[in-house]
Amino acid sequence: GGGGAPSGPGAVTIAATPWCNVSIDGRAVGETPVVNHALPSGRHTITCVNPELNVTRTRAVDVSPGEPARVRIELQ
């Protein structure tokens, strides 16, 4: 081992009201809620689409190793 800044995978939990289809960095991951979805550390783009409401929301999230990020998206 060695010192230095932590690196490695993190995770993100995404909740939406009412609901949406979620893509992270352009890759579909399914409908909300998305719980503890593993991601590399760093910045990611979350796209949330609700076809019933014809609403799209985009969020940037910074993921840190060992520290789950939480994103809440309001669609209405």
Side-chain angles (χ1 to χ4, degrees):
S7 64
V12 64
T13 294
I14 304 164
T17 305
W19 68 275
C20 65
N21 293 311
V22 179
S23 297
I24 302 175
D25 300 332
R27 296 182 61 175
V29 299
E31 292 181 9
T32 52
V34 175
V35 179
N36 286 337
H37 181 81
L39 286 175
S41 54
R43 174 157 287 194
H44 300 276
T45 300
I46 296 168
T47 304
C48 185
V49 180
N50 184 309
E52 295 174 353
L53 298 174
N54 195 27
V55 173
T56 300
R57 294 280 186 269
T58 302
R59 294 278 187 278
V61 61
D62 291 309
V63 174
S64 301
E67 189 176 329
R70 294 183 183 275
V71 178
R72 179 154 193 89
I73 299 172
E74 302 289 338
L75 290 154
Q76 289 181 319

